[in-house]
Amino acid sequence: MKIRRVLATAVALAVTTPAALLSVSPAYADAKPAAQTQDQQKSKPTIKELEEAAAEAQKAYDKAAKAEAAGRIELEKTLDDLSEVSGTHPLAVASAAADRAAKDAAAAQTTADQAVTDAKAALDALTEDATEEERTAAETALSEAEATATTAATAKTAADTAAAEAREKLDDARVAAVRAYGVLQNAAEEALAVKVAADAALAKAIKEAEEAGEGEEGGACEPELDLTSKVTGLPDKLVAGTSTDFSLRVTNGSDRHMDEVLAFVSVHATDRSGLKDTGKFFRLQWSTKSAPKWQNADSDEYIDGVGALKPGAHADVKLRLTLDKATPAGNGVAFFAADFFNEDGSCGGAPDLDMYEFDVKAAGSKPGKTEDAKPSKTTKPGNTGTTPQGSVSATPVTTGTNGSLAATGSSSATTPIALAGGAAVLLGAAAVFVVRRRKTGADA
C-alpha cells in the first residue's frame, strides 16, 4: 500500500490547474495563508462530493460541446453568406458591386488613356500642308481626350477606395464570425479540461480509498511524528540546463522497528505565470547505500532504497534534480515525507509533507546568491500560535491531515488519506504555492 500516491496526483492537479483551485477555495487568495482549523479540515470533499462534481463537469461539457457544434454550423453558413462570389449577405453583395464598379472604372481609364495617345498621334501626324482648321481640330481633340482621362482617373481612384472599404467591412464580418465561434470552441475545451480533471480526481480518490484498506488485516496506518525526513543541499535557485545534487536523511526517532521505509519525493513547477506546468522538463534521480547506482524516481514518486530502520537509525538518500535547457523561468516546489510498512500489516508515517519552494532561472542565468533549504518549525493545523503556515523560498512548510494517515476501522482517524490527505494537499499546500506565486507576480 503506497499511501501517498494520491498526494502526488493531488499536488500535480493543484499546481497545473490554478484557476480551478481559486474557484474552489477563494480563501487561499491571501498571500499569507493561515493554518487551517479542524472545522475546515472536516469540510474536505468526500467521494460522494467528487462524484457530484464530476457529474456537474460532465453536464457542463455536454452543454459546451453542443453549443460548439451548433456554432460551427452557424459559422459555415455565415462564411458562405459572406462569400464575394455567391454570398447573399448585404456586405457581400455590396463588396461584389464595388469590385465590379472598380473594374469598370479601370476599363474606362484605360480607354481614356488610349484616346489621349491616339489624339497625340493624330496631332503629330499633321504635315506643313495642314490647314489651320485641321490643326485646331486636332488640338481640341487632344485637349478633350486629356480631360476625359483625368476624370476617368479620379473615378477609378474613388472606385478603388470604395471597393477596398467594402472588402474591409466584409473581412471584419468574417473575423467577427470566427471569433464568436472561437469563444464557443474555447469554452468547450476548458469544460473538457475541467471534466478530465474531475474524472481523474474521482478515479484516484476511489482507487486510493480502496488501497488504503490494505493494512486492515495487521493494523491500521497511523501517524508517526518521529519518522522524519530532513533535506540538505537543496538551493532556493535552480538554473535550466544544470543538475543539482542534494540529500534527504530519513530518521526513525521512534522506539519501534520499521520493516520497510519509503521516502516520498514530489517535484512540481510552473512558468512565471503560474498557469503552465513545466514539470516535464525536470528529471529526479536517487541513490542509496544499498542501491548506489542512480535511478529515476518512479511514477509513484516513492524511493524504495531506504530499507528497514531500527529505532534511532537513519538512512541517507542522495538526490539529483536535472533541469532541461528548455526549462522556462518560473517557480518550483518540492515535497518530502516518509512512510513505513511492517510485515504484520501495520503502517504509518509522517502526517505532514515538508514543502520547499525554489525559483527556476532560464538557461545561462547566474544563480546569484543562493541559500540551502533549512528546516523550520511551522504552525500545525488548529494551533493558535502566531507562526503563519507558509515560508519564503526553500523553507519547508508542513501541510497535512491534522495527524491522520490512511486508517481503517472505526477510530477517530478513519478518514483515508485519499480523501483527507489528498484534499488537504489539493486545497492546502499546492493552493498556497500557486496563489502566492501568482499574486507575487501580479504585484511585481
Side-chain angles (χ1 to χ4, degrees):
M1 177 183 64
K2 296 188 175 181
I3 60 179
R4 290 190 192 274
R5 184 182 304 158
V6 71
L7 295 181
T9 302
V11 171
L13 179 61
V15 171
T16 55
T17 56
L21 278 172
L22 293 176
S23 64
V24 172
S25 184
Y28 284 105
D30 191 345
K32 296 181 179 179
Q36 291 177 300
T37 65
Q38 291 192 15
D39 289 340
Q40 289 173 318
Q41 294 266 341
K42 294 177 182 178
S43 65
K44 300 306 180 184
T46 63
I47 288 185
K48 181 179 179 180
E49 290 170 334
L50 290 174
E51 289 174 339
E52 293 174 351
E56 289 299 319
Q58 180 68 56
K59 290 180 181 178
Y61 170 66
D62 291 341
K63 183 177 180 180
K66 183 177 180 180
E68 186 271 339
R72 188 187 314 115
I73 295 174
E74 184 63 25
L75 174 63
E76 293 173 354
K77 180 178 180 298
T78 300
L79 293 179
D80 286 341
D81 289 343
L82 292 172
S83 171
E84 289 180 296
V85 177
S86 59
T88 59
H89 192 281
L91 290 177
V93 173
S95 179
D99 279 342
R100 288 194 297 271
K103 291 178 181 178
D104 291 343
Q109 183 182 15
T110 299
T111 301
D113 289 342
Q114 184 60 47
V116 171
T117 300
D118 294 341
K120 285 182 178 179
L123 180 59
D124 293 340
L126 293 176
T127 64
E128 296 179 356
D129 296 336
T131 65
E132 187 65 26
E133 291 78 5
E134 291 175 335
R135 186 171 297 279
T136 299
E139 290 174 349
T140 300
L142 175 58
S143 178
E144 292 175 350
E146 289 175 338
T148 301
T150 299
T151 301
T154 301
K156 180 181 182 301
T157 300
D160 288 343
T161 300
E165 292 176 351
R167 280 195 297 272
E168 184 176 359
K169 292 179 180 179
L170 187 62
D171 290 340
D172 288 345
R174 291 169 177 161
V175 170
V178 173
R179 285 178 177 172
Y181 169 68
V183 172
L184 298 176
Q185 192 175 40
N186 290 338
E189 291 174 354
E190 291 173 1
L192 177 60
V194 172
K195 173 187 174 300
V196 171
D199 289 344
L202 174 60
K204 273 296 181 183
I206 294 174
K207 181 178 180 181
E208 295 303 326
E210 293 173 350
E211 291 183 351
E214 292 180 14
E216 194 168 316
E217 293 182 1
C221 290
E222 59 188 65
E224 179 52 78
L225 296 175
D226 292 324
L227 179 59
T228 61
S229 52
K230 180 180 179 181
V231 176
T232 57
L234 175 63
D236 61 1
K237 295 181 180 64
L238 301 177
V239 178
T242 65
S243 294
T244 299
D245 289 350
F246 58 104
S247 63
L248 174 69
R249 171 164 289 187
V250 180
T251 302
N252 178 10
S254 71
D255 58 1
R256 74 172 83 186
H257 183 279
M258 298 179 182
D259 296 331
E260 181 184 11
V261 175
L262 299 179
F264 174 83
V265 181
S266 180
V267 179
H268 304 276
T270 69
D271 63 1
R272 286 175 177 167
S273 71
L275 299 175
K276 182 179 180 181
D277 177 21
T278 58
K280 66 180 181 181
F281 297 104
F282 287 67
R283 180 188 182 194
L284 181 66
Q285 296 175 291
W286 63 271
S287 69
T288 62
K289 184 177 180 180
S290 61
K293 186 177 179 180
W294 285 107
Q295 301 184 47
N296 293 327
D298 63 23
S299 58
D300 293 324
E301 298 169 307
Y302 273 93
I303 295 172
D304 57 8
V306 177
L309 284 181
K310 298 178 181 179
H314 68 263
D316 292 324
V317 180
K318 295 180 180 180
L319 296 169
R320 174 172 293 170
L321 186 58
T322 302
L323 279 64
D324 189 272
K325 287 184 179 180
T327 307
N331 313 298
V333 61
F335 295 89
F336 301 91
D339 299 323
F340 76 88
F341 306 88
N342 289 332
E343 293 180 358
D344 62 4
S346 62
C347 56
D352 299 323
L353 287 171
D354 287 337
M355 184 175 80
Y356 294 78
E357 297 177 42
F358 54 85
D359 294 327
V360 178
K361 294 182 172 293
S365 301
K366 293 182 179 180
K369 183 178 180 181
T370 59
E371 298 180 2
D372 289 342
K374 297 178 181 179
S376 65
K377 293 182 180 180
T378 59
T379 301
K380 297 289 191 255
N383 193 331
T384 59
T386 59
T387 305
Q389 186 180 356
S391 69
V392 296
S393 294
T395 303
V397 178
T398 57
T399 64
T401 62
N402 197 25
S404 299
L405 282 172
T408 57
S410 59
S411 69
S412 61
T414 56
T415 304
I417 197 168
L419 300 180
V425 173
L426 176 61
L427 298 180
V432 171
F433 164 66
V434 171
V435 174
R436 183 191 304 129
R437 286 299 191 180
R438 292 185 68 189
K439 183 164 185 174
T440 299
D443 295 339

